[in-house]
Amino acid sequence: MSVKKINLGSQGLVVPNIGLGCMGMTQIAGMDIYGKADEKEAIATIHRSLELGGNFLDTADLYGPLHNERLIAKAIKGNRNAYNIATKFGYEIDDNEKLTWNFNGTKEYVKKAVERSLKNLGTDYIDLYYLHRLDPNTPIEETIEAMAELVKEGKVGYIGLSEVSSETIRKAHKIHALTAVQTEYSLFERTVEEAGILDTLNELGIGFVAYSPLGRGFISGDIKSPDDFDDTDFRKSIPRFQGEQFYKNIELVNEIQKMASEKQITASQLALSWIASKNILSIPGTKRVKYVEQNIAAAQMVLTPEEMNHLETIIPLGTQTGARYDDANMAGIDK
């Protein structure tokens, strides 16, 4: 099996058509992400992904905080150039390695954050560097100017943004060409289509990266009840997984599973092949070898227009599946 390569945006970055989201390989501020992680298995997953052609790793200084980048440093040691590394900054982390939960996109913080990430990743360059969330108190132009300086210095290859509006994308792109914008996107979450953000990216030649392409694990079909989560699992706080909405979503998942069974693949694979068939890069998160193998295989499947239409009639654009974050985190998304 050879992994299809795609151009991410129009600035020259070529990547496999599926990446590996590494967030769940460590905690965030004491919270488990998709269940408990095992470092040895996580590193084995990164290595297996590379063997299959999946060399695009997505992390952030937020994850841990900082521990995720350090885990990746262990995994890529001695073989750094084989990987495309994407990391993010913007959630402020103080000098004691504690999250302040403020957003910081000032020039001074950009320089501080990149040096810390370079050190933690054990590298002298980052392939793709994102602003994780817009800092409402700093003009995006100032942040992008600072990020552009990192490109000139050779510390960063390409730059991107995460969870931003079309207006912010246009402002930023005028200062320095963006390579990618990352936003949650799945059969369960298609706000980027509804808000015209995908149209903006296509118009400007900017790549799109879909995180949580399995609806934070919902589409896998493994979750049967809100009680399936440990107390430290951050999904307990997400409206999509709560109350009546949870059971409405289960009905949608059941329909996806029926279609997947007919194709003799898993529901997760069907959801990933739906994104891959749109020529969009997805970064499903996993920390297990078995799933990275399934995910990479899924991205090489191409759905017919009829299959795409059938899936999109199960969950039509505009279907309410519940907010994707709690109120505090939704407030951090640039609309």
Side-chain angles (χ1 to χ4, degrees):
M1 177 183 64
S2 61
V3 173
K4 183 183 173 189
K5 300 275 188 176
I6 60 172
N7 293 307
L8 187 59
S10 53
Q11 303 305 309
L13 183 57
V14 178
V15 297
N17 74 338
I18 187 165
L20 176 57
C22 299
M23 179 175 75
M25 295 177 178
T26 50
Q27 291 187 325
I28 296 180
M31 294 289 283
D32 289 318
I33 310 298
Y34 314 137
K36 299 235 180 302
D38 174 81
E39 184 176 289
K40 190 176 174 186
E41 175 76 358
I43 289 172
T45 301
I46 291 170
H47 291 167
R48 181 60 177 147
S49 184
L50 181 66
E51 286 171 7
L52 295 171
N55 71 338
F56 185 86
L57 305 181
D58 180 273
T59 183
D61 59 8
L62 167 69
Y63 308 156
L66 310 182
H67 300 306
N68 204 276
E69 290 180 332
R70 290 168 185 160
L71 181 146
I72 286 174
K74 291 180 187 178
I76 67 173
K77 192 171 183 182
N79 201 23
R80 192 277 172 250
N81 290 345
Y83 292 90
N84 276 310
I85 308 292
T87 193
K88 313 175 210 64
F89 77 96
Y91 280 92
E92 188 180 72
I93 300 165
D94 68 21
D95 293 338
N96 296 315
E97 301 188 355
K98 294 285 188 289
L99 276 166
T100 69
W101 293 109
N102 295 320
F103 300 127
N104 194 333
T106 61
K107 279 196 172 185
E108 295 75 23
Y109 190 73
V110 172
K111 290 174 183 175
K112 181 178 181 177
V114 77
E115 294 301 336
R116 185 170 53 201
S117 284
L118 289 167
K119 181 182 175 186
N120 286 329
L121 287 164
T123 185
D124 57 3
Y125 71 100
I126 293 162
D127 296 281
L128 175 58
Y129 199 44
Y130 293 100
L131 175 65
H132 208 156
R133 290 291 187 274
L134 184 68
D135 174 359
N137 299 313
T138 303
I140 188 62
E141 292 87 349
E142 178 183 327
T143 308
I144 296 295
E145 281 171 6
M147 294 172 77
E149 285 174 21
L150 304 180
V151 175
K152 285 182 195 150
E153 292 167 4
K155 292 173 181 175
V156 167
Y158 304 90
I159 65 170
L161 301 175
S162 178
E163 292 289 5
V164 285
S165 64
S166 289
E167 182 185 1
T168 297
I169 291 164
R170 290 183 188 281
K171 284 182 188 174
H173 196 62
K174 281 179 183 171
I175 304 298
H176 187 281
L178 301 176
T179 287
V181 167
Q182 181 179 135
T183 297
E184 184 174 347
Y185 183 70
S186 70
L187 283 164
F188 268 27
E189 172 50 53
R190 293 167 67 190
T191 303
V192 286
E193 287 182 57
E194 295 166 331
I197 292 167
L198 275 186
D199 292 337
T200 300
L201 298 178
N202 290 333
E203 176 197 330
L204 299 175
I206 301 168
F208 178 59
V209 179
Y211 77 81
S212 295
L214 302 177
R216 301 208 179 273
F218 220 136
I219 296 171
S220 71
D222 295 337
I223 302 159
K224 307 296 184 191
S225 159
D227 300 325
D228 286 349
F229 303 118
D230 294 334
D231 287 341
T232 58
D233 193 313
F234 89 118
R235 286 175 291 185
K236 282 184 87 87
S237 70
I238 297 177
R240 181 183 296 160
F241 293 93
Q242 296 172 348
E244 187 184 346
Q245 187 66 59
F246 179 93
Y247 295 100
K248 286 182 179 174
N249 291 342
I250 287 286
E251 290 175 20
L252 299 175
V253 172
N254 290 341
E255 290 301 311
I256 295 168
Q257 284 188 304
K258 280 182 199 169
M259 183 175 168
S261 296
E262 289 167 12
K263 287 183 65 66
Q264 298 184 309
I265 58 176
T266 69
S268 295
Q269 287 182 306
L270 183 59
L272 292 175
S273 60
W274 173 75
I275 292 177
S277 296
K278 292 172 177 271
N279 217 33
I280 288 172
L281 172 64
S282 66
I283 48 168
T286 186
K287 44 189 175 272
R288 294 186 176 84
V289 170
K290 174 177 79 170
Y291 293 125
V292 86
E293 291 172 344
Q294 290 180 8
N295 293 349
I296 288 175
Q300 312 322 307
M301 303 172 191
V302 178
L303 300 183
T304 66
E306 292 75 22
E307 288 171 328
M308 296 288 281
N309 288 337
H310 181 47
L311 260 179
E312 291 179 16
T313 55
I314 292 172
I315 310 181
L317 203 59
T319 301
Q320 291 303 310
T321 58
R324 52 205 180 95
Y325 289 107
D326 60 20
D327 289 346
N329 282 296
M330 283 302 291
I333 290 173
D334 175 40
K335 300 179 190 66

